[in-house]
Amino acid sequence: MGANTSHVSDLADNPSLKTLVGTEPMSENDPFWNQLISFTFISPTSSGDSKLLEEAVVPLAKILIQNNLRTGNFGALVRIFLGRTKELKISTECQDQLFIWQAHNALFMIRCLLKVFIREMNEDELHLQFSYQERAPGSCGETSSQSLLEELLSNLVHLIVEVPLLDITYSILFEAVTTLLVFFSYQLFHKDILRDGLIYRHIMKGRCLSLTSRLVKTLLYNFIRQEKCPPATHIFESKDEGGLLYGLASGVASGLWSVFTLGGAGSKARVDQEHDPLPLSNQSLLLLLVLANLTDGPDWPNPYRQAITSFRNTQDTSSLSVEQPHTFQINFNSLYTALCEQQRSDQATLLLYTLLHQNANMRTYMLSRTDMENLVLPILEILYHVEDRNSHHVYMALIILLILTEDDTFNRSIHEVVLKNISWYTERSLTEISLGSLLILVVIRTIQFNMTRTRDKYLHTNCLAALANMSAQFRCLHQYAAQRIISLFALLSKKHNKVLEQATQSLRGRRGDSSALPDYAQDLNVIEEVIRMMLEIINSCLSNSLHHNPNLVYALLYKRELFEQFRTHPSFQDIMQNLDTVISFFSHRLEQAGSDLSVERVQEVIMKGAQALPTDRLKKFPELKFKYVEEEQPEDFFIPYVWSLVFNSGVGLHWSPHGIELFSMDSG
């Protein structure tokens, strides 16, 4: 393939590639194909290399698009690959590296060309690229275009589920997963959500359907195993025995470009490689999310979502009353561990959300764990660094917390887990704090960040709902957590007064023109809703667990003047009754204890008073309970989000931002 090609820029002049994309049809038995797919490289992972490769492939692919309808060379390349993969499992068992290497190279070329085809043409036109019928003598027989396209898709799925993950198969498995992602990339070039199409139907209803559960399980296990890319073993390195493999390879090989690596091959270490040493794990997770978020068909559900929402633990020996379609069993402990370790990425957080929200078996398992801090702490860290995260990642983290707080056992147990020295929490040294108190601190910090920066009502609502769900089970709140609850109320109170003053001034200044008034009225309404919610959260804690939370009573008494203005406010009068009762009761006991009391003495009075306060003095309110409900058309949010992750995080995949229609380029 052009013996000494050393740069991607030389690809256009490569004789073998010129033949492939040229005007002459090549018989599938021609030695040309063996030479074409015998080059040494492993796919690029760095974005820079991927961009260079893309720029080199585009002009070649465009020539092929013009000539292929007459030559059928693209279909021939696909058949060459299909022929090689039929024996791939045997090759793996026999450690036949040469065979696997050539199959990988053929698939890599197909993927590179397909990626351009999909950008340049619609599905019907792509269909035609597979549809050349008249073959040169000695070809492998006739196959209709549709079945060739479906055979390729089916073959890729078979490859992923049947070929074991070993050092020698890592690259081809990565390539198979990546090629499936490329097939679905039509969505990137459409603003509307795609709900049908040739590829969609093949994957949802065709020969691939029977492999649904095995594909989902394999992709999950690829994520769980977190296998690092093996050091690329060069086919061209001398073997100790100077064996046939070396001779064979050197006889047909002719280097395609300077060695690109999927994380090794003796090339100098790249930042990208260190950043993502797990290309197969990452790519498998992206494909899993793409499949899970495909829309249901007109008269059939998405089988991949069915598989993801119904799989069970390998430890679960119970029989199902109704057999669910596409269900399977997987090791929940391994999956839980991988989820805990990988939360720094958007896609792992999105998988955690999907499983918590949609798979009841996994949700029950997670909530039964006695080491929930391993899962919750990475989520809190995402929220703590809200300034550095994209808004979607923050939403997912918050919704995960909201779903967890729907469970009362979770709300109780988090206050029993004591943590020491949380290094990432830098605002204050927390030498010892319960997981529950830390959760409250981080959620309150998120609310405050949102009030000063993004002012997103959706974010507010979810933060407050999580606090409200936990409030009845607040236990032994850390002094700092109690202070921050009251500080947040102080901030809201200050904001309320400011908006009220602005509204009053506006009303005085524009007696005949009320055009500016609605804005203030709306702002005031939102702030009062949030204040009401905060009062309900404080009230819920006092009503249900006052004697467990002396630090909150202390903070309440210390800032009692904050609550004066809301006592007579019509929106808050009912909820203020209990707070008034508590403040009056403890204020009276402190007066009886004398003046100039030390902090310790005040706390002692509060502790004793908490035992003495009759519970029937506090008015009962309905329990605060909020449940997360997905939007009516969740695909409008999730499909652009998933594809923005593929666009930004897909290993070795570069798309030019021009022509991307699904999301604006600053939304990822």
Side-chain angles (χ1 to χ4, degrees):
M1 215 172 148
N4 294 306
T5 303
S6 57
H7 298 288
V8 177
S9 54
D10 297 334
L11 282 179
D13 301 319
N14 184 286
S16 296
L17 288 178
K18 278 185 166 179
T19 303
L20 173 69
V21 304
T23 55
E24 290 298 314
M26 301 301 295
S27 160
E28 287 156 37
N29 293 334
D30 196 302
F32 158 80
W33 295 105
N34 205 33
Q35 185 179 353
L36 178 74
I37 61 175
S38 299
F39 50 82
T40 175
F41 81 103
I42 305 175
S43 337
T45 56
S46 81
S47 55
D49 283 349
S50 303
K51 184 171 186 287
L52 284 173
L53 176 61
E54 176 85 353
E55 287 167 354
V57 169
V58 167
L60 289 165
K62 286 183 174 177
I63 296 168
L64 181 60
I65 289 167
Q66 291 171 6
N67 294 327
N68 182 58
L69 295 180
R70 291 187 298 278
T71 67
N73 284 344
F74 177 71
L77 176 61
V78 171
R79 287 188 180 86
I80 294 292
F81 167 71
L82 294 175
R84 291 247 180 332
T85 55
K86 284 182 174 67
E87 296 170 44
L88 207 53
K89 207 172 175 186
I90 298 162
S91 304
T92 305
E93 287 162 7
C94 303
Q95 295 281 306
D96 187 346
Q97 238 170 307
L98 178 63
F99 204 87
I100 297 166
W101 166 64
Q102 288 188 321
H104 164 271
N105 288 355
L107 181 55
F108 177 77
M109 296 180 78
I110 291 166
R111 186 255 284 187
C112 289
L113 293 167
L114 264 176
K115 189 162 169 291
V116 183
F117 286 6
I118 284 168
R119 186 175 196 123
E120 295 292 321
M121 61 183 79
N122 61 38
E123 277 194 321
D124 290 337
E125 291 165 332
L126 179 70
H127 176 213
L128 290 175
Q129 294 295 330
F130 282 86
S131 68
Y132 181 83
Q133 292 294 316
E134 187 187 329
R135 298 300 304 143
S139 66
C140 299
E142 312 234 337
T143 315
S144 75
S145 61
Q146 196 148 327
S147 64
L148 181 62
L149 176 57
E150 184 173 13
E151 193 178 343
L152 177 57
L153 286 164
S154 171
N155 194 283
L156 292 172
V157 175
H158 270 280
L159 197 161
I160 292 165
V161 302
E162 287 181 355
V163 173
L165 175 53
L166 307 168
D167 279 4
I168 58 170
T169 59
Y170 192 102
S171 294
I172 194 165
L173 287 169
F174 170 81
E175 207 50 62
V177 170
T178 305
T179 306
L180 280 179
L181 266 180
V182 166
F183 263 118
F184 286 111
S185 65
Y186 267 114
Q187 181 63 77
L188 279 172
F189 310 106
H190 291 80
K191 198 162 187 62
D192 296 330
I193 303 302
L194 297 181
R195 299 172 189 275
D196 205 351
L198 198 58
I199 294 161
Y200 173 93
R201 282 175 176 266
H202 285 325
I203 284 289
M204 291 281 228
K205 296 185 75 175
R207 282 187 274 170
C208 300
L209 183 63
S210 61
L211 294 172
T212 295
S213 57
R214 288 181 67 193
L215 178 58
V216 170
K217 185 175 183 175
T218 305
L219 294 174
L220 274 173
Y221 267 127
N222 287 349
F223 167 69
I224 288 168
R225 287 175 67 174
Q226 300 291 311
E227 289 283 351
K228 290 189 176 176
C229 185
T233 48
H234 265 276
I235 303 284
F236 304 101
E237 290 169 355
S238 308
K239 307 289 177 212
D240 292 339
E241 67 278 14
L244 179 65
L245 182 62
Y246 175 70
L248 260 177
S250 58
V252 295
S254 51
L256 181 53
W257 45 79
S258 56
V259 179
F260 275 120
T261 69
L262 191 64
S267 63
K268 60 178 184 281
R270 294 191 185 90
V271 177
D272 300 76
Q273 178 192 325
E274 290 160 8
H275 178 64
D276 186 5
L278 307 166
L280 179 62
S281 173
N282 180 63
Q283 216 85 322
S284 295
L285 179 51
L286 289 171
L287 177 59
L288 186 65
L289 293 170
V290 166
L291 291 169
N293 286 284
L294 291 172
T295 57
D296 292 337
D299 53 358
W300 66 85
N302 174 350
Y304 302 95
R305 190 180 303 125
Q306 285 181 316
I308 283 168
T309 57
S310 65
F311 68 76
R312 300 186 298 150
N313 195 352
T314 45
Q315 312 297 313
D316 184 357
T317 53
S318 62
S319 57
L320 291 172
S321 53
V322 179
E323 189 60 38
Q324 291 163 303
H326 310 296
T327 190
F328 59 91
Q329 289 184 292
I330 199 166
N331 187 311
F332 277 16
N333 181 52
S334 304
L335 180 53
Y336 178 82
T337 303
L339 285 166
C340 292
E341 289 172 353
Q342 297 298 317
Q343 284 309 306
R344 62 187 169 275
S345 79
D346 278 74
Q347 44 270 41
T349 306
L350 184 50
L351 176 63
L352 173 57
Y353 159 80
T354 304
L355 296 178
L356 260 180
H357 178 52
Q358 298 183 4
N359 189 314
N361 304 321
M362 192 71 199
R363 180 169 62 249
T364 303
Y365 175 83
M366 287 189 207
L367 288 166
S368 71
R369 293 286 299 209
T370 54
D371 60 349
M372 275 299 288
E373 67 274 16
N374 291 340
L375 190 69
V376 175
L377 280 171
I379 297 297
L380 294 183
E381 195 174 349
I382 292 166
L383 291 175
Y384 187 78
H385 297 295
V386 60
E387 300 94 333
D388 309 322
R389 302 286 179 180
N390 71 67
S391 60
H392 287 12
H393 200 181
V394 172
Y395 281 149
M396 289 296 103
L398 259 181
I399 292 166
I400 287 165
L401 286 186
L402 179 54
I403 293 170
L404 292 172
T405 62
E406 290 170 16
D407 184 78
D408 284 342
T409 309
F410 171 83
N411 294 332
R412 278 193 298 274
S413 64
I414 54 175
H415 293 288
E416 293 161 12
V417 178
V418 177
L419 308 165
K420 295 182 187 297
N421 301 314
I422 308 300
S423 57
W424 47 262
Y425 195 96
T426 54
E427 282 175 23
R428 176 173 169 151
S429 175
L430 298 174
T431 50
E432 193 170 285
I433 189 170
S434 72
L435 180 60
S437 287
L438 181 65
L439 200 160
I440 291 164
L441 282 175
V442 172
V443 171
I444 285 175
R445 185 178 181 276
T446 308
I447 293 173
Q448 289 181 322
F449 172 82
N450 188 42
M451 281 173 69
T452 54
R453 306 279 184 88
T454 50
R455 301 182 69 189
D456 184 328
K457 192 181 175 186
Y458 185 80
L459 205 67
H460 262 9
T461 306
N462 285 302
C463 285
L464 291 165
L467 287 176
N469 283 347
M470 293 190 291
S471 58
Q473 268 92 26
F474 282 172
R475 293 286 187 279
C476 305
L477 289 186
H478 189 280
Q479 181 186 355
Y480 187 49
Q483 284 173 15
R484 298 306 290 164
I485 290 171
I486 305 303
S487 297
L488 175 58
F489 189 83
L491 188 67
L492 290 164
S493 175
K494 189 176 173 185
K495 201 169 177 66
H496 179 267
N497 293 342
K498 185 180 173 185
V499 174
L500 197 58
E501 189 183 331
Q502 286 172 333
T504 309
Q505 285 176 351
S506 175
L507 195 59
R508 284 187 191 131
R510 299 190 179 202
R511 290 193 180 278
D513 175 16
S514 61
S515 58
L517 207 55
D519 287 342
Y520 288 122
Q522 191 180 2
D523 282 356
L524 201 60
N525 189 37
V526 169
I527 292 166
E528 287 184 356
E529 276 180 23
V530 176
I531 287 173
R532 168 88 193 181
M533 191 78 152
M534 280 304 297
L535 287 171
E536 287 182 347
I537 288 165
I538 295 167
N539 176 65
S540 171
C541 175
L542 297 176
S543 303
N544 292 285
S545 53
L546 183 142
H547 56 291
H548 288 300
N549 290 293
N551 284 332
L552 184 63
V553 176
Y554 184 97
L556 194 64
L557 292 171
Y558 191 71
K559 293 280 188 181
R560 56 192 145 192
E561 74 284 351
L562 278 175
F563 299 89
E564 289 291 329
Q565 63 173 308
F566 299 107
R567 186 180 290 160
T568 55
H569 194 294
S571 300
F572 311 122
Q573 269 180 321
D574 59 336
I575 205 82
M576 278 300 301
Q577 284 178 21
N578 282 349
L579 271 74
D580 266 349
T581 302
V582 170
I583 290 169
S584 302
F585 177 82
F586 283 98
S587 297
H588 180 63
R589 290 185 79 95
L590 287 172
E591 282 167 17
Q592 286 180 324
S595 56
D596 296 327
L597 301 176
S598 67
V599 172
E600 290 75 17
R601 177 69 183 126
V602 171
Q603 287 175 329
E604 188 186 330
V605 171
I606 289 171
M607 295 280 276
K608 285 182 178 172
Q611 305 300 325
L613 178 66
T615 51
D616 58 4
R617 292 268 299 272
L618 299 178
K619 183 184 171 188
K620 291 292 177 197
F621 283 85
E623 190 183 6
L624 291 179
K625 272 295 166 197
F626 292 88
K627 193 173 174 64
Y628 169 69
V629 180
E630 216 169 54
E631 299 286 333
E632 248 182 58
Q633 289 186 295
E635 64 272 16
D636 292 344
F637 171 84
F638 285 104
I639 290 178
Y641 181 31
V642 168
W643 277 103
S644 74
L645 298 181
V646 177
F647 182 88
N648 290 308
S649 311
V651 182
L653 289 170
H654 169 81
W655 280 278
S656 165
H658 304 297
I660 301 293
E661 293 283 338
L662 183 61
F663 47 81
S664 59
M665 292 313 298
D666 57 356
S667 70

